[in-house]
Amino acid sequence: MLNFLGRKDVRKILKRKDSDAGERGKALEDLRSSLFNVFRSPEGAKRQQQQLCGPATALTFNFIVAVGIIFMNKLVLKVVGFQFPIFLTFIHYVVSWLLMAILKSLSILPASPSKSARLSTLFTLGFVMALSTGLANVSLKYNSVGFYQMSKIAVTPSIVLAEFLLYNKRVSFSKVLTLAVVSFGVAVATVTDLQFHLFGACIALAWIIPSAINKILWSSLQQQENWTALALMWKTTPVTLFFLVALIPWLDPPGALSFNWSFNNTSAILMSAILGFLLQWSGALALGATSAVTHVVLGQFKTCVILLGNYYLFSSNPGKTSICGAFTAIAGMSIYTYLNLRQQSSRTSPRQVSTLPKSKLSKENGNHDGNYGAESV
């Protein structure tokens, strides 16, 4: 055996195998180093996010997850009987933070920009995230889905007004008309389901402003200060958790700890939490790739698709008025999308030089001077 291993040709084969193994190991190490450098560099992480998750991908991802979490949360709140919407939101953000902590321990959580946003801005974003998400779940508990969607219509003009006052962003008249058609269609589609509770109506009204500010900040921070979705989530989640804990005694009934935490119930709640993380991530990606108004329009499109899907697939009959309203809203959304695509193609410049990666929204808006943009899409 020793003589065989000592032969010259056998030694060459073993040496070649050792060399191949060394080259493979070096290649794996280079790949790991490349990934590490990409994610540890804010510019590289932002560039990767834009390349892998453009507007169409981000919006589709957010749409699929949003529809899935609606049915999952309905299962948790109605079938499982977990009547604690703020505490459920708190569980969602705890699971999100744990998942991001795992990514950070593996050194694949994108780094924050070297010139980070002011602490007051991140604190404000975490605060309005707690309000918008928590109050939305409370509104769904007390009001019908139709009234909840009606209250979301008010978010669109709130965003347009706030962006005009804060960033001097203007919306073209044609887009104003299409947004009005979309809002009218959604109102007609959900007018047959306007059951609400007085307390729930007050919660819905209180939710509008935080929701608009939340979307604006998510969009502007990613587009103007080079944040990625995960990096911004990592920074703001602790603030959100703090304010959710403060909201629990005020808006949740007592008895969450005495709930029947069986295996099936806990599994359903954890699945809802995982979808909550994906919803937050996909929503942040969509806001970073498009705009706050576009994200609201996507939510209204989701409402119409669910209504029409129930009608055609499950023989649900919301009435001819609601069906016509849904088709009207979808027609308005189609025109809105066409106007955005036309604006993007008309403003595409042959000069694509940028030391800091800019989102497609910035290009659509003609954002060449560092401002947030002249027109919202």
Side-chain angles (χ1 to χ4, degrees):
M1 184 69 179
L2 293 176
N3 292 333
F4 174 77
L5 293 175
R7 290 172 53 184
K8 187 175 181 180
D9 53 345
V10 174
R11 288 200 305 270
K12 288 182 178 179
I13 294 175
L14 293 176
K15 185 176 181 181
R16 185 164 57 249
K17 288 184 176 181
D18 291 340
S19 177
D20 293 342
E23 291 178 357
R24 285 195 298 268
K26 183 180 179 182
L28 290 174
E29 184 64 26
D30 290 342
L31 177 61
R32 182 182 181 278
S33 176
S34 175
L35 290 174
F36 180 82
N37 290 333
V38 164
F39 287 111
R40 297 312 298 171
S41 166
E43 293 80 8
K46 182 67 175 179
R47 192 178 301 110
Q48 287 294 318
Q49 176 177 301
Q50 291 178 345
Q51 291 176 352
L52 298 177
C53 197
T57 304
L59 291 173
T60 303
F61 181 27
N62 183 242
F63 173 78
I64 294 173
V65 175
V67 173
I69 200 172
I70 285 177
F71 293 105
M72 181 55 66
N73 281 348
K74 185 176 181 180
L75 174 69
V76 170
L77 294 173
K78 300 297 183 182
V79 179
V80 175
F82 192 78
Q83 298 296 319
F84 311 97
I86 300 296
F87 190 54
L88 179 63
T89 307
F90 176 79
I91 295 174
H92 284 192
Y93 279 97
V94 168
V95 171
S96 297
W97 188 86
L98 291 175
L99 292 174
M100 288 186 289
I102 294 174
L103 295 177
K104 187 173 181 62
S105 66
L106 298 175
S107 299
I108 56 177
L109 185 75
S112 303
S114 55
K115 294 183 179 179
S116 299
R118 291 179 298 178
L119 290 178
S120 59
T121 304
L122 297 177
F123 183 85
T124 302
L125 179 56
F127 173 65
V128 296
M129 281 173 61
L131 286 180
S132 62
T133 310
L135 294 180
N137 286 337
V138 175
S139 176
L140 278 173
K141 177 183 176 181
Y142 288 97
N143 303 317
S144 66
V145 176
F147 185 83
Y148 173 72
Q149 295 298 335
M150 286 284 285
S151 64
K152 287 179 67 175
I153 294 176
V155 177
T156 303
S158 300
I159 290 175
V160 173
L161 177 61
E163 289 185 330
F164 174 75
L165 295 176
L166 296 175
Y167 304 107
N168 198 30
K169 293 180 66 175
R170 293 175 174 82
V171 180
S172 63
F173 181 72
S174 58
K175 288 188 179 180
V176 171
L177 287 180
T178 57
L179 290 173
V181 171
V182 171
S183 299
F184 174 78
V186 173
V188 172
T190 56
V191 72
T192 57
D193 184 24
L194 291 183
Q195 303 171 3
F196 68 95
H197 188 277
L198 179 59
F199 177 73
C202 295
I203 292 294
L205 291 175
W207 165 81
I208 293 173
I209 300 300
S211 178
I213 296 175
N214 180 44
K215 294 179 185 299
I216 291 172
L217 287 178
W218 271 105
S219 184
S220 62
L221 284 174
Q222 289 187 81
Q223 294 174 20
Q224 301 306 307
E225 301 192 20
N226 221 37
W227 284 90
T228 59
L230 285 175
L232 198 52
M233 287 167 60
W234 174 253
K235 288 290 185 180
T236 55
T237 297
V239 180
T240 303
L241 289 172
F242 173 80
F243 283 104
L244 285 174
V245 170
L247 289 174
I248 288 176
W250 296 92
L251 298 176
D252 267 2
L257 298 180
S258 60
F259 177 74
N260 179 23
W261 294 92
S262 64
F263 176 78
N264 290 335
N265 291 347
T266 304
S267 298
I269 292 172
L270 288 178
M271 182 61 68
S272 172
I274 293 173
L275 287 175
F277 165 71
L278 294 177
L279 179 66
Q280 184 188 4
W281 185 27
S282 62
L285 290 172
L287 285 166
T290 57
S291 72
V293 175
T294 299
H295 191 252
V296 173
V297 172
L298 175 68
Q300 295 170 342
F301 175 71
K302 172 191 65 182
T303 301
C304 297
V305 168
I306 292 175
L307 188 148
L308 294 175
N310 287 333
Y311 175 71
Y312 285 107
L313 299 178
F314 303 107
S315 301
S316 174
N317 187 14
K320 293 182 179 179
T321 302
S322 296
I323 297 298
C324 292
F327 277 116
T328 301
I330 291 177
M333 296 171 197
S334 301
I335 298 173
Y336 177 81
T337 303
Y338 167 74
L339 292 175
N340 280 339
L341 293 175
R342 189 178 67 176
Q343 177 185 353
Q344 179 181 358
S345 61
S346 64
R347 295 196 177 191
T348 299
S349 172
R351 298 173 304 162
Q352 296 185 356
V353 291
S354 178
T355 56
L356 293 178
K358 293 188 178 182
S359 67
K360 294 186 178 182
L361 176 62
S362 302
K363 295 177 183 177
E364 293 173 9
N365 290 339
N367 186 11
H368 303 299
D369 57 357
N371 294 327
Y372 185 43
E375 180 178 340
S376 172
V377 299

